[in-house]
Short mmCIF file of all heavy atoms in Angstrom, two decimals:
data_model
loop_
_atom_site.label_atom_id
_atom_site.label_comp_id
_atom_site.label_asym_id
_atom_site.label_seq_id
_atom_site.Cartn_x
_atom_site.Cartn_y
_atom_site.Cartn_z
N LEU N 1 0.84 -1.20 0.00
CA LEU N 1 0.00 0.00 0.00
C LEU N 1 0.88 1.25 0.00
O LEU N 1 1.64 1.48 0.95
CB LEU N 1 -0.91 -0.01 1.23
CG LEU N 1 -1.96 1.09 1.34
CD1 LEU N 1 -2.94 1.03 0.18
CD2 LEU N 1 -2.72 0.97 2.67
N HIS N 2 0.79 2.03 -1.06
CA HIS N 2 1.55 3.27 -1.16
C HIS N 2 0.75 4.40 -0.52
O HIS N 2 -0.41 4.64 -0.88
CB HIS N 2 1.83 3.59 -2.64
CG HIS N 2 2.73 4.76 -2.84
ND1 HIS N 2 2.73 5.51 -4.00
CD2 HIS N 2 3.67 5.31 -2.04
CE1 HIS N 2 3.63 6.47 -3.89
NE2 HIS N 2 4.20 6.38 -2.71
N ASP N 3 1.39 5.08 0.42
CA ASP N 3 0.75 6.17 1.17
C ASP N 3 1.62 7.42 1.01
O ASP N 3 2.38 7.77 1.90
CB ASP N 3 0.64 5.75 2.64
CG ASP N 3 -0.09 6.76 3.50
OD1 ASP N 3 -0.65 7.72 2.94
OD2 ASP N 3 -0.10 6.58 4.74
N PRO N 4 1.52 8.11 -0.13
CA PRO N 4 2.46 9.19 -0.46
C PRO N 4 2.54 10.33 0.55
O PRO N 4 3.61 10.88 0.79
CB PRO N 4 1.96 9.70 -1.82
CG PRO N 4 1.16 8.58 -2.38
CD PRO N 4 0.53 7.90 -1.20
N ASP N 5 1.39 10.69 1.14
CA ASP N 5 1.38 11.84 2.05
C ASP N 5 1.16 11.47 3.50
O ASP N 5 1.07 12.34 4.38
CB ASP N 5 0.34 12.87 1.62
CG ASP N 5 -1.09 12.30 1.61
OD1 ASP N 5 -1.25 11.11 1.97
OD2 ASP N 5 -2.01 13.04 1.25
N GLY N 6 1.06 10.16 3.80
CA GLY N 6 0.89 9.72 5.18
C GLY N 6 -0.55 9.76 5.66
O GLY N 6 -0.82 9.42 6.82
N SER N 7 -1.48 10.14 4.79
CA SER N 7 -2.87 10.29 5.23
C SER N 7 -3.55 8.96 5.51
O SER N 7 -4.43 8.87 6.37
CB SER N 7 -3.67 11.07 4.18
OG SER N 7 -3.67 10.37 2.93
N ILE N 8 -3.16 7.91 4.78
CA ILE N 8 -3.77 6.60 5.02
C ILE N 8 -3.42 6.11 6.41
O ILE N 8 -4.28 5.60 7.14
CB ILE N 8 -3.30 5.58 3.95
CG1 ILE N 8 -3.82 5.99 2.58
CG2 ILE N 8 -3.77 4.18 4.31
CD1 ILE N 8 -3.33 5.10 1.45
N LYS N 9 -2.17 6.26 6.80
CA LYS N 9 -1.76 5.86 8.14
C LYS N 9 -2.57 6.59 9.20
O LYS N 9 -3.03 5.99 10.19
CB LYS N 9 -0.28 6.12 8.36
CG LYS N 9 0.21 5.74 9.76
CD LYS N 9 1.66 6.11 9.96
CE LYS N 9 2.15 5.70 11.35
NZ LYS N 9 1.38 6.31 12.45
N GLU N 10 -2.76 7.89 9.01
CA GLU N 10 -3.52 8.68 9.98
C GLU N 10 -4.97 8.18 10.08
O GLU N 10 -5.51 8.05 11.18
CB GLU N 10 -3.49 10.16 9.58
CG GLU N 10 -2.11 10.80 9.73
CD GLU N 10 -2.10 12.25 9.26
OE1 GLU N 10 -3.18 12.76 8.87
OE2 GLU N 10 -1.02 12.87 9.28
N LYS N 11 -5.59 7.89 8.94
CA LYS N 11 -6.96 7.39 8.94
C LYS N 11 -7.06 6.04 9.64
O LYS N 11 -7.96 5.80 10.45
CB LYS N 11 -7.47 7.26 7.50
CG LYS N 11 -7.72 8.58 6.79
CD LYS N 11 -8.19 8.31 5.37
CE LYS N 11 -8.38 9.60 4.59
NZ LYS N 11 -8.77 9.33 3.18
N VAL N 12 -6.11 5.15 9.30
CA VAL N 12 -6.13 3.80 9.88
C VAL N 12 -5.92 3.86 11.38
O VAL N 12 -6.64 3.21 12.15
CB VAL N 12 -5.06 2.91 9.22
CG1 VAL N 12 -4.92 1.60 9.98
CG2 VAL N 12 -5.43 2.64 7.76
N ASP N 13 -4.93 4.63 11.82
CA ASP N 13 -4.65 4.72 13.26
C ASP N 13 -5.86 5.25 14.02
O ASP N 13 -6.19 4.76 15.11
CB ASP N 13 -3.43 5.62 13.50
CG ASP N 13 -2.13 4.96 13.10
OD1 ASP N 13 -2.13 3.73 12.89
OD2 ASP N 13 -1.11 5.66 13.00
N GLN N 14 -6.52 6.26 13.47
CA GLN N 14 -7.70 6.83 14.12
C GLN N 14 -8.84 5.82 14.16
O GLN N 14 -9.51 5.65 15.18
CB GLN N 14 -8.15 8.10 13.39
CG GLN N 14 -9.37 8.76 14.04
CD GLN N 14 -9.77 10.05 13.34
OE1 GLN N 14 -9.03 10.59 12.53
NE2 GLN N 14 -10.95 10.56 13.67
N TYR N 15 -9.05 5.11 13.04
CA TYR N 15 -10.14 4.14 12.97
C TYR N 15 -9.92 2.99 13.95
O TYR N 15 -10.84 2.59 14.67
CB TYR N 15 -10.28 3.61 11.54
CG TYR N 15 -11.52 2.78 11.33
CD1 TYR N 15 -12.72 3.38 10.95
CD2 TYR N 15 -11.51 1.39 11.52
CE1 TYR N 15 -13.88 2.63 10.77
CE2 TYR N 15 -12.66 0.64 11.34
CZ TYR N 15 -13.84 1.26 10.97
OH TYR N 15 -14.98 0.51 10.80
N VAL N 16 -8.69 2.46 13.97
CA VAL N 16 -8.39 1.35 14.86
C VAL N 16 -8.49 1.77 16.32
O VAL N 16 -8.91 1.00 17.19
CB VAL N 16 -6.99 0.78 14.55
CG1 VAL N 16 -6.57 -0.24 15.60
CG2 VAL N 16 -6.97 0.15 13.17
N ASN N 17 -8.12 3.01 16.61
CA ASN N 17 -8.22 3.52 17.97
C ASN N 17 -9.68 3.59 18.43
O ASN N 17 -9.97 3.41 19.61
CB ASN N 17 -7.60 4.92 18.05
CG ASN N 17 -7.49 5.44 19.47
OD1 ASN N 17 -6.98 4.76 20.36
ND2 ASN N 17 -7.98 6.65 19.70
N GLU N 18 -10.58 3.80 17.47
CA GLU N 18 -12.00 3.89 17.80
C GLU N 18 -12.72 2.54 17.67
O GLU N 18 -13.81 2.36 18.21
CB GLU N 18 -12.67 4.92 16.88
CG GLU N 18 -12.15 6.34 17.09
CD GLU N 18 -12.65 7.30 16.02
OE1 GLU N 18 -13.34 6.83 15.08
OE2 GLU N 18 -12.37 8.50 16.13
N HIS N 19 -12.10 1.62 16.94
CA HIS N 19 -12.70 0.29 16.71
C HIS N 19 -11.63 -0.77 16.96
O HIS N 19 -11.01 -1.28 16.03
CB HIS N 19 -13.25 0.16 15.29
CG HIS N 19 -14.19 1.25 14.88
ND1 HIS N 19 -13.76 2.49 14.46
CD2 HIS N 19 -15.56 1.28 14.84
CE1 HIS N 19 -14.82 3.24 14.16
NE2 HIS N 19 -15.91 2.53 14.39
N HIS N 20 -11.39 -1.07 18.22
CA HIS N 20 -10.25 -1.90 18.61
C HIS N 20 -10.27 -3.30 18.01
O HIS N 20 -9.21 -3.90 17.80
CB HIS N 20 -10.20 -2.01 20.14
CG HIS N 20 -10.03 -0.69 20.83
ND1 HIS N 20 -8.88 0.06 20.72
CD2 HIS N 20 -10.88 0.03 21.63
CE1 HIS N 20 -9.02 1.18 21.42
NE2 HIS N 20 -10.22 1.18 21.98
N ARG N 21 -11.43 -3.84 17.74
CA ARG N 21 -11.52 -5.21 17.23
C ARG N 21 -11.75 -5.27 15.73
O ARG N 21 -12.09 -6.33 15.19
CB ARG N 21 -12.64 -5.95 17.96
CG ARG N 21 -12.40 -6.08 19.46
CD ARG N 21 -13.47 -6.93 20.12
NE ARG N 21 -13.23 -7.09 21.54
CZ ARG N 21 -14.00 -7.81 22.36
NH1 ARG N 21 -15.07 -8.44 21.86
NH2 ARG N 21 -13.72 -7.91 23.64
N ALA N 22 -11.55 -4.19 15.05
CA ALA N 22 -11.80 -4.15 13.61
C ALA N 22 -10.84 -5.09 12.87
O ALA N 22 -9.66 -5.16 13.18
CB ALA N 22 -11.64 -2.73 13.09
N SER N 23 -11.36 -5.80 11.89
CA SER N 23 -10.54 -6.69 11.06
C SER N 23 -9.86 -5.89 9.97
O SER N 23 -10.20 -4.72 9.71
CB SER N 23 -11.42 -7.76 10.42
OG SER N 23 -12.33 -7.16 9.50
N PHE N 24 -8.90 -6.52 9.32
CA PHE N 24 -8.22 -5.85 8.21
C PHE N 24 -9.23 -5.45 7.14
O PHE N 24 -9.19 -4.33 6.61
CB PHE N 24 -7.15 -6.76 7.60
CG PHE N 24 -6.52 -6.18 6.36
CD1 PHE N 24 -5.49 -5.26 6.46
CD2 PHE N 24 -6.97 -6.53 5.09
CE1 PHE N 24 -4.92 -4.70 5.32
CE2 PHE N 24 -6.41 -5.99 3.95
CZ PHE N 24 -5.36 -5.08 4.06
N GLU N 25 -10.15 -6.35 6.79
CA GLU N 25 -11.13 -6.08 5.75
C GLU N 25 -12.02 -4.89 6.10
O GLU N 25 -12.33 -4.06 5.23
CB GLU N 25 -11.99 -7.33 5.52
CG GLU N 25 -11.28 -8.48 4.84
CD GLU N 25 -10.29 -9.19 5.73
OE1 GLU N 25 -10.42 -9.08 6.98
OE2 GLU N 25 -9.39 -9.86 5.19
N GLU N 26 -12.38 -4.78 7.37
CA GLU N 26 -13.21 -3.65 7.81
C GLU N 26 -12.44 -2.34 7.69
O GLU N 26 -12.97 -1.33 7.21
CB GLU N 26 -13.66 -3.86 9.26
CG GLU N 26 -14.52 -2.74 9.81
CD GLU N 26 -14.86 -2.92 11.27
OE1 GLU N 26 -14.79 -4.07 11.77
OE2 GLU N 26 -15.21 -1.92 11.93
N VAL N 27 -11.19 -2.35 8.12
CA VAL N 27 -10.36 -1.15 8.07
C VAL N 27 -10.08 -0.76 6.62
O VAL N 27 -10.12 0.43 6.25
CB VAL N 27 -9.04 -1.36 8.83
CG1 VAL N 27 -8.12 -0.16 8.65
CG2 VAL N 27 -9.33 -1.59 10.32
N GLU N 28 -9.81 -1.76 5.78
CA GLU N 28 -9.57 -1.48 4.36
C GLU N 28 -10.77 -0.78 3.74
O GLU N 28 -10.62 0.22 3.03
CB GLU N 28 -9.28 -2.79 3.63
CG GLU N 28 -9.08 -2.60 2.13
CD GLU N 28 -8.93 -3.92 1.40
OE1 GLU N 28 -9.40 -4.96 1.91
OE2 GLU N 28 -8.35 -3.92 0.29
N LYS N 29 -11.96 -1.29 4.00
CA LYS N 29 -13.18 -0.71 3.44
C LYS N 29 -13.39 0.72 3.91
O LYS N 29 -13.84 1.59 3.14
CB LYS N 29 -14.38 -1.57 3.82
CG LYS N 29 -15.69 -1.12 3.21
CD LYS N 29 -16.83 -2.07 3.58
CE LYS N 29 -18.15 -1.63 2.97
NZ LYS N 29 -19.26 -2.56 3.33
N ALA N 30 -13.06 0.99 5.17
CA ALA N 30 -13.30 2.31 5.75
C ALA N 30 -12.23 3.33 5.40
O ALA N 30 -12.53 4.53 5.31
CB ALA N 30 -13.41 2.19 7.27
N CYS N 31 -10.99 2.87 5.20
CA CYS N 31 -9.87 3.81 5.11
C CYS N 31 -9.14 3.84 3.76
O CYS N 31 -8.64 4.89 3.36
CB CYS N 31 -8.85 3.51 6.20
SG CYS N 31 -9.51 3.59 7.88
N PHE N 32 -9.08 2.71 3.07
CA PHE N 32 -8.37 2.72 1.77
C PHE N 32 -8.99 1.72 0.79
O PHE N 32 -8.32 0.85 0.26
CB PHE N 32 -6.87 2.44 1.95
CG PHE N 32 -6.54 1.21 2.78
CD1 PHE N 32 -6.33 -0.03 2.17
CD2 PHE N 32 -6.41 1.29 4.16
CE1 PHE N 32 -6.01 -1.14 2.92
CE2 PHE N 32 -6.09 0.17 4.92
CZ PHE N 32 -5.89 -1.06 4.29
N PRO N 33 -10.30 1.88 0.51
CA PRO N 33 -11.00 0.93 -0.37
C PRO N 33 -10.40 0.87 -1.77
O PRO N 33 -10.14 1.91 -2.39
CB PRO N 33 -12.43 1.47 -0.40
CG PRO N 33 -12.31 2.93 -0.07
CD PRO N 33 -11.18 3.00 0.91
N GLY N 34 -10.12 -0.34 -2.24
CA GLY N 34 -9.63 -0.53 -3.59
C GLY N 34 -8.20 -0.09 -3.83
O GLY N 34 -7.72 -0.12 -4.97
N MET N 35 -7.47 0.29 -2.78
CA MET N 35 -6.12 0.82 -2.95
C MET N 35 -5.03 -0.20 -2.66
O MET N 35 -3.89 -0.05 -3.13
CB MET N 35 -5.92 2.05 -2.06
CG MET N 35 -6.81 3.22 -2.39
SD MET N 35 -6.58 4.62 -1.26
CE MET N 35 -4.89 5.10 -1.68
#
């Protein structure tokens, strides 16, 4: 996963912090769908 400006990491970290049990598939759909 290429994250040129670091925004994907920020989205993922925030989402996981709010959804501790989220699966990879759930996080992918919410933060970087199709990427």
Side-chain angles (χ1 to χ4, degrees):
L1 186 61
H2 186 204
D3 184 8
D5 60 1
S7 61
I8 294 176
K9 179 184 182 301
E10 291 178 2
K11 289 179 184 177
V12 170
D13 287 346
Q14 181 177 348
Y15 189 88
V16 171
N17 188 51
E18 296 171 356
H19 307 81
H20 299 293
R21 298 185 178 181
S23 66
F24 174 83
E25 289 73 21
E26 179 184 340
V27 174
E28 177 186 23
K29 184 177 180 180
C31 301
F32 51 93
M35 297 178 66

